[in-house]
Amino acid sequence: MATVELSFSALPVHVRTARLIVTAVARRSGVDEAIMDEVRLAVGEACSRAVEAHRAHCPDEPVRLELSDTAHRFQVIVSDSVPADEAEGGPPSAPRPDDLPALALAGDADLGLAVIAGLADDVEISNTPKGVQIRMSWPADRPAPPAT
């Protein structure tokens, strides 16, 4: 499958639409139905985090998503346009599993990253000159096309 790109206005109402689109593409990519709720929740959390950052720092800029499946993985990248030095609390970093109890007592942003780390099979959080990217992936086995 080619990469599917999606951008939406930084409004909370659009997070639901993004989750629905990601769910449809994940199913088509062969993500197991048993982990579909985890995909939906992780993407929703990442999109909500990006919407909140945009509303505070650049409300006219869209939030961007990239969806792809390669090498038996379904990958979602959520990108915001808020450089880490503009965001409150400094740059985010990917939490480690042993950090999760401490993050439960931290701010909402750290808690959101902890939730994402707990739901996604693989998470990478990157600070870029243009903003923050959260890359998440899950196992996917797209079924072979039917014989004709």
Side-chain angles (χ1 to χ4, degrees):
M1 169 180 89
T3 299
V4 174
E5 295 181 11
L6 168 69
S7 61
F8 61 91
S9 301
L11 297 171
V13 68
H14 296 308
V15 172
R16 180 177 185 272
T17 303
R19 283 193 321 252
L20 291 170
I21 292 169
V22 168
T23 301
V25 175
R27 280 193 177 106
R28 185 168 183 230
S29 298
V31 172
D32 191 329
E33 202 62 40
I35 62 171
M36 201 60 70
D37 282 342
E38 295 173 5
V39 173
R40 232 184 329 266
L41 290 170
V43 170
E45 190 65 41
C47 289
S48 293
R49 188 210 145 279
V51 165
E52 185 178 318
H54 276 232
R55 291 185 73 181
H57 299 282
C58 55
D60 295 332
E61 290 292 320
V63 174
R64 300 187 191 289
L65 277 80
E66 295 176 35
L67 318 173
S68 60
D69 65 345
T70 57
H72 302 289
R73 304 288 300 171
F74 173 65
Q75 178 174 276
V76 177
I77 300 173
V78 178
S79 302
D80 69 39
S81 299
V82 181
D85 58 349
E86 288 185 28
E88 293 181 34
S93 58
R96 298 182 315 267
D98 55 339
D99 291 338
L100 297 181
L103 287 173
L105 301 174
D108 290 341
D110 288 339
L111 183 57
L113 295 175
V115 168
I116 293 166
L119 293 169
D121 192 52
D122 181 37
V123 178
E124 181 180 310
I125 301 169
S126 305
N127 295 311
T128 70
K130 294 182 181 181
V132 175
Q133 279 189 344
I134 300 176
R135 185 191 57 76
M136 306 164 276
S137 70
W138 294 267
D141 289 315
R142 187 175 351 160
T148 56

